[in-house]
Amino acid sequence: MEFSIEVPGEANPLSTQTLYRTLTAASSTDPHQITTGTQQLQYWEKQPGYYSALQSIFIDFSLPVEVRHLCIIQLKNGIDKYWRKTASNAIRKYEKDQIRSTSIESGIREPDLRLALQNAVTIAKIVRYEYPLDWPDAISSIVSKIRSISQSNSRSLELTRALLILLEVIKELSKARLQRTRTSLQAAALEVLQVLGKIYVDKTQIWMAFFDRVGDDEGGVIDSIEQSLLALRVLRRLLVAAWDFPNRSSEVQDFWTLLNSQYTNMLALMANQSASLHDNIRRLVEKHWRQIAKLHLNLAQDHPAGFALLQGSIHLLSVYWNLISQYGETLGSQTPKIPGVGLKHDGDVVDQGMLIMEYLSLKGLQLLRACAKMVFNPAQTFKYQNTEDKEEKARSRELIRVEVLTESFAQTAMQTLITRFFVFRPQDLLDWEEQPEEWELREEGSDDLAEYSIRTCAEKLFLELILNYKMQLVHPLLSIFNKVANPRTTDIFLKDSIYGAIGLAAPVLEDKISFNTFLRETLAHEAQVKQPGCNILRRRIAIMLGQWLPVKDGLDRPLVYQLFQHMLDQYDPLNDLVVRITAGRQLKNIILPFEFDITTFKPYTGTTLSRLIALIEEVELIEHRLALLNTLTVLVQSMEEQITPFADQIISFLPPLWEQAGNEHLLKQNILAILSSLMSAMKANSQKYHQLIIPLIDSSVNVQSDTYVPLVEDALDLWEAVLQQTPSTAVPSLLPLVPRLFPIMEAGSDTLPKVLSITETYVYIAPHQMLSSASTILVPLTSLLNGSKREIIGSILNVIELLMRSALQVGGNEALTALTSHLLEAGLLQTVVGALHGAYEAHQSIGPNRSKTWLDVLVETDYLSLLSRLSLSSPGLLLDAVRAATPNDRLDTTIKWMLSEWFRHLDNISHPEKKKLNCLALTALLQTGQSWILSHLQDLMSIWTEAVLELYDEDNTGGDYLLYRDPDSLKGERETAEEERQRELIFADPIHQLDLKTFIREHMQHAITSSGGTEAFQGNWVVNVDRDVLEEFGKLGIF
């Protein structure tokens, strides 16, 4: 009967037999058995003995492969989760020892390749955790096995498996960042090189001798090829990871020389024998080439100085260049057919020889790029370099510059790259026609393709050469350009490649070419030619203009706009999808430059916009839609308010696009971004679209929505843009969104700054409504004060202060008193007073063990500014608030320590408006006539003197420069509705309405009167003021 698991996992004790049965069930095809078996394994994975039992089953070669495969997968995953000593339910030490002791031996004898690979990866993961502290002989024990096995010709499988294990171990350790691991790997590296280097030499001699004899025992030679390949793969990683200075090691140098010699021999051998070899053998040999080429490139990238100084490296670079040139000749011999003229897939078998030649040529180009970086843009490092290191680095750069990257090489390379590697191949044109969107996407992503595309890599190398050999290459390049830059040249492919070079070199050639003349006399004509193949030139013209316009001043922009409008025309048969997508992408580069003029572009806006929108609707790939939407966003932003006549056209296609987007959240993010830009550009005219946009915002910022996480940031940007441009008369339609703010505040995510900014905007736009909802608003704001970053706390306090100012403006002291009650109910004022008291106590302690306050200087300024608003409105309101916030303390005691901390902190306030506000607030307390403020008369006179000297002219004749007498003086040239509301509130602020001298004089007079007259005031309070302080205050002329 088939085993079935029906009981809970806890009811099944762990044993080898029950584990085997569970593994059998979990690896079956019965969904129920798979589910229950997997659940049981998940329960057991935390029990002692589970992983050693898994290994016991895995090493039994008589068991079914499916069960053993599940075993090793479970073991591998468990090592990631539970091997660390600090992991929860970590594997016990005795169990680790047992797993380690049998893993290598069983892996060497594993008959199944798939299981052998998984076992090798598992061992490598163990070594990563254990080496070198807990398993110091991990590498040496594997190498010892390899040495022993390699001496016997009858243990071929074991040698292959041992090499596979070592490969995975070295691969894992080469990624290590701990210096201890790297040092241990370097110590073991020499032994590995010696053993594997010998195996590599012996095995390559066997199969290369086979080629010389042209033997027929292909099956017998495959083992040798596979083993030499494994050895080479290990050594490639080892040489890069274990030697920081490979040129200083004689062993590395010897192997390097041997390898390069074999590399050249292999190339010659395969050229003669490739056709007679079986495909499997040829592929294995080609993998040797790939590994050697990777080694060359890795060394040049990771150890550039060491690579250059290794013997034979200069010759190696010449070998690569010869290979590149030969491959370039084959490219030049191919004659592409014009797209659209009988271009069909002929079904020919791909030439594998050409594929490997292309791969090696690509690595050669990358190698030359690494050399160019070494010479012209060497990597900077913080690692200590001794004299020898610096000398080697300088010598290697000079060697490459003199022997490789010569002026003559640069000229030859430039011509080869342009005329051979920039030219389209037949396959490119076939892909253009059959898969236009995919092909254009690959070409547009060229920055990421340099590692995989030979044409893209050639373009990168050309750009590095032209930037560093301007004097030598500009004239030859211009000479080639002048020969083809006319309508009479009909070689479209040559012209495309040369135009491509001119576009790449735009930053170098911008003052060497009369591009405006070229634009008017050549490009304008070529963009309108209606002949087969001219779509290739149209695409290139779009790219070229996108490269030149940002760097060249004074171009005929109306002509450029006409050309792009023309190339976006879908009814022109030569404007195929590739041409139009390229034009749509490049249009962004045409519009972005600072010199963009709205008036010049306006006549072309309508047609260009409609064609761009039609293209967005036509393309299918999400990447193209995103790029074209980005272009549309830039267009909207650049046109500013002049986009208004075209807004309906833009808005009309967005809802269907939103519906088509489905779960493509990136597309929806871009739609929201376009709407944000459109709202900002249209200003007050944008309110006509509120009916469409508000539901969109509402659904996107709903924390319960599935789209909340991906869309909330862009939706908040749109929300803020709508608010900022909405006149106060249109407020009611936006008020239903306010409750959406509070759950987002409570979530406390990275969107908090934007949410607080929107809240602040609502206070400006709808102060009555926000004040009526103050009790709801203040609760989440208060909870955010504790534990938030300083920037967030500052934004919260700005909202609170804005509410106070708005309350005074719309309802006077009565409204502010009501708001203060809400502040007390929410606990916000208690938090403020408590934090200030903690700061006061900390400042009273001294010495190394003095108390420290968590209150930031800027936050304390904001806290005191809130109290200042209350005091300036009514000192009695401040006293009542403080009394309510500290019900268990005497008011006079609280006010005394608060004033002490307040005056102490004034020196830390640098912002003029904040300083004046606090100065006014403290002065207003003189209305109380209380001794606790009059006793601080010296402090008051000090801050008065400082504030007046800061706010008035040096001769004290001018007025307070913070006074605003004309509200229109603050008006901007293109003021938004939000800016108008801010200006009105700023103008009404007491900071900008009260003259400081007058305010001080009036309150001093009130204090004198309430103290019993001048004589009593002098005798009771002024007598305690320092003479110097009194003298400086007297110079102000206030009395």
Short mmCIF file of all heavy atoms in Angstrom, two decimals, residues 704-725:
data_model
loop_
_atom_site.label_atom_id
_atom_site.label_comp_id
_atom_site.label_asym_id
_atom_site.label_seq_id
_atom_site.Cartn_x
_atom_site.Cartn_y
_atom_site.Cartn_z
N GLN A 704 -5.99 50.43 2.33
CA GLN A 704 -6.58 49.10 2.20
C GLN A 704 -6.54 48.59 0.77
O GLN A 704 -6.87 47.42 0.51
CB GLN A 704 -8.04 49.14 2.68
CG GLN A 704 -8.22 49.63 4.10
CD GLN A 704 -7.51 48.76 5.12
OE1 GLN A 704 -7.43 47.54 4.95
NE2 GLN A 704 -6.98 49.36 6.17
N SER A 705 -6.13 49.43 -0.16
CA SER A 705 -6.13 49.05 -1.57
C SER A 705 -4.92 48.20 -1.91
O SER A 705 -3.83 48.36 -1.34
CB SER A 705 -6.16 50.31 -2.44
OG SER A 705 -5.93 49.99 -3.79
N ASP A 706 -5.08 47.30 -2.86
CA ASP A 706 -3.97 46.47 -3.32
C ASP A 706 -2.91 47.29 -4.04
O ASP A 706 -1.76 46.87 -4.13
CB ASP A 706 -4.49 45.38 -4.27
CG ASP A 706 -5.38 44.37 -3.56
OD1 ASP A 706 -5.26 44.26 -2.32
OD2 ASP A 706 -6.20 43.72 -4.23
N THR A 707 -3.30 48.43 -4.57
CA THR A 707 -2.35 49.26 -5.33
C THR A 707 -1.71 50.34 -4.46
O THR A 707 -0.96 51.16 -4.97
CB THR A 707 -3.07 49.93 -6.51
OG1 THR A 707 -4.12 50.77 -6.00
CG2 THR A 707 -3.65 48.91 -7.46
N TYR A 708 -2.00 50.33 -3.17
CA TYR A 708 -1.49 51.39 -2.29
C TYR A 708 0.03 51.48 -2.32
O TYR A 708 0.61 52.54 -2.56
CB TYR A 708 -1.98 51.17 -0.86
CG TYR A 708 -1.31 52.07 0.16
CD1 TYR A 708 -1.67 53.40 0.26
CD2 TYR A 708 -0.30 51.60 0.98
CE1 TYR A 708 -1.05 54.24 1.18
CE2 TYR A 708 0.31 52.41 1.90
CZ TYR A 708 -0.06 53.74 1.99
OH TYR A 708 0.57 54.56 2.89
N VAL A 709 0.70 50.36 -2.07
CA VAL A 709 2.17 50.37 -1.96
C VAL A 709 2.84 50.86 -3.24
O VAL A 709 3.70 51.75 -3.20
CB VAL A 709 2.69 48.99 -1.54
CG1 VAL A 709 4.21 48.95 -1.60
CG2 VAL A 709 2.21 48.63 -0.14
N PRO A 710 2.49 50.33 -4.42
CA PRO A 710 3.20 50.77 -5.62
C PRO A 710 2.81 52.17 -6.10
O PRO A 710 3.59 52.82 -6.80
CB PRO A 710 2.83 49.72 -6.67
CG PRO A 710 1.53 49.15 -6.21
CD PRO A 710 1.59 49.20 -4.72
N LEU A 711 1.62 52.66 -5.73
CA LEU A 711 1.14 53.91 -6.33
C LEU A 711 1.12 55.09 -5.38
O LEU A 711 0.95 56.23 -5.82
CB LEU A 711 -0.27 53.70 -6.89
CG LEU A 711 -0.44 52.68 -8.01
CD1 LEU A 711 -1.88 52.67 -8.50
CD2 LEU A 711 0.52 52.95 -9.15
N VAL A 712 1.27 54.86 -4.08
CA VAL A 712 1.02 55.94 -3.11
C VAL A 712 1.94 57.14 -3.33
O VAL A 712 1.50 58.30 -3.25
CB VAL A 712 1.13 55.40 -1.66
CG1 VAL A 712 2.53 54.90 -1.36
CG2 VAL A 712 0.71 56.48 -0.68
N GLU A 713 3.21 56.92 -3.62
CA GLU A 713 4.13 58.05 -3.77
C GLU A 713 3.72 58.95 -4.92
O GLU A 713 3.68 60.19 -4.78
CB GLU A 713 5.56 57.54 -3.95
CG GLU A 713 6.15 56.91 -2.70
CD GLU A 713 7.63 56.60 -2.87
OE1 GLU A 713 8.27 57.20 -3.76
OE2 GLU A 713 8.14 55.75 -2.13
N ASP A 714 3.46 58.36 -6.08
CA ASP A 714 3.07 59.17 -7.24
C ASP A 714 1.70 59.79 -7.03
O ASP A 714 1.45 60.92 -7.50
CB ASP A 714 3.09 58.30 -8.50
CG ASP A 714 4.49 57.82 -8.84
OD1 ASP A 714 5.26 58.60 -9.41
OD2 ASP A 714 4.81 56.66 -8.53
N ALA A 715 0.79 59.08 -6.37
CA ALA A 715 -0.54 59.63 -6.10
C ALA A 715 -0.45 60.82 -5.15
O ALA A 715 -1.18 61.81 -5.32
CB ALA A 715 -1.43 58.54 -5.51
N LEU A 716 0.45 60.75 -4.18
CA LEU A 716 0.63 61.89 -3.27
C LEU A 716 1.20 63.09 -4.02
O LEU A 716 0.81 64.25 -3.74
CB LEU A 716 1.55 61.49 -2.12
CG LEU A 716 0.95 60.53 -1.08
CD1 LEU A 716 2.01 60.10 -0.08
CD2 LEU A 716 -0.24 61.15 -0.36
N ASP A 717 2.12 62.85 -4.95
CA ASP A 717 2.64 63.96 -5.77
C ASP A 717 1.51 64.62 -6.56
O ASP A 717 1.45 65.85 -6.66
CB ASP A 717 3.71 63.43 -6.74
CG ASP A 717 5.00 63.07 -6.03
OD1 ASP A 717 5.24 63.59 -4.93
OD2 ASP A 717 5.77 62.24 -6.58
N LEU A 718 0.64 63.79 -7.12
CA LEU A 718 -0.50 64.33 -7.87
C LEU A 718 -1.44 65.10 -6.95
O LEU A 718 -1.92 66.19 -7.30
CB LEU A 718 -1.24 63.18 -8.56
CG LEU A 718 -2.53 63.54 -9.30
CD1 LEU A 718 -2.28 64.59 -10.38
CD2 LEU A 718 -3.16 62.29 -9.91
N TRP A 719 -1.70 64.54 -5.81
CA TRP A 719 -2.58 65.19 -4.82
C TRP A 719 -2.04 66.57 -4.46
O TRP A 719 -2.77 67.57 -4.45
CB TRP A 719 -2.66 64.29 -3.60
CG TRP A 719 -3.71 64.65 -2.58
CD1 TRP A 719 -4.52 65.75 -2.57
CD2 TRP A 719 -4.05 63.90 -1.41
NE1 TRP A 719 -5.33 65.73 -1.47
CE2 TRP A 719 -5.07 64.61 -0.75
CE3 TRP A 719 -3.59 62.71 -0.87
CZ2 TRP A 719 -5.63 64.15 0.44
CZ3 TRP A 719 -4.14 62.24 0.31
CH2 TRP A 719 -5.15 62.96 0.97
N GLU A 720 -0.75 66.63 -4.17
CA GLU A 720 -0.15 67.90 -3.80
C GLU A 720 -0.20 68.90 -4.96
O GLU A 720 -0.48 70.08 -4.75
CB GLU A 720 1.31 67.68 -3.38
CG GLU A 720 1.98 68.94 -2.86
CD GLU A 720 3.39 68.66 -2.37
OE1 GLU A 720 4.13 67.95 -3.08
OE2 GLU A 720 3.76 69.17 -1.29
N ALA A 721 0.05 68.43 -6.18
CA ALA A 721 0.01 69.31 -7.35
C ALA A 721 -1.40 69.88 -7.54
O ALA A 721 -1.56 71.08 -7.84
CB ALA A 721 0.44 68.55 -8.60
N VAL A 722 -2.41 69.05 -7.36
CA VAL A 722 -3.79 69.51 -7.49
C VAL A 722 -4.10 70.58 -6.43
O VAL A 722 -4.68 71.64 -6.73
CB VAL A 722 -4.77 68.32 -7.36
CG1 VAL A 722 -6.20 68.81 -7.23
CG2 VAL A 722 -4.64 67.41 -8.56
N LEU A 723 -3.70 70.32 -5.20
CA LEU A 723 -3.97 71.28 -4.12
C LEU A 723 -3.28 72.61 -4.38
O LEU A 723 -3.88 73.68 -4.18
CB LEU A 723 -3.49 70.70 -2.78
CG LEU A 723 -4.34 69.62 -2.13
CD1 LEU A 723 -3.61 69.01 -0.95
CD2 LEU A 723 -5.68 70.19 -1.70
N GLN A 724 -2.05 72.55 -4.80
CA GLN A 724 -1.28 73.78 -4.98
C GLN A 724 -1.85 74.68 -6.07
O GLN A 724 -1.68 75.90 -6.02
CB GLN A 724 0.18 73.44 -5.29
CG GLN A 724 0.93 72.85 -4.11
CD GLN A 724 2.33 72.39 -4.47
OE1 GLN A 724 2.66 72.24 -5.65
NE2 GLN A 724 3.16 72.14 -3.47
N GLN A 725 -2.50 74.09 -7.05
CA GLN A 725 -3.01 74.88 -8.17
C GLN A 725 -4.50 75.21 -8.03
O GLN A 725 -5.05 75.91 -8.88
CB GLN A 725 -2.77 74.13 -9.48
CG GLN A 725 -1.34 73.71 -9.73
CD GLN A 725 -0.38 74.88 -9.70
OE1 GLN A 725 -0.74 76.01 -10.02
NE2 GLN A 725 0.88 74.62 -9.34
#
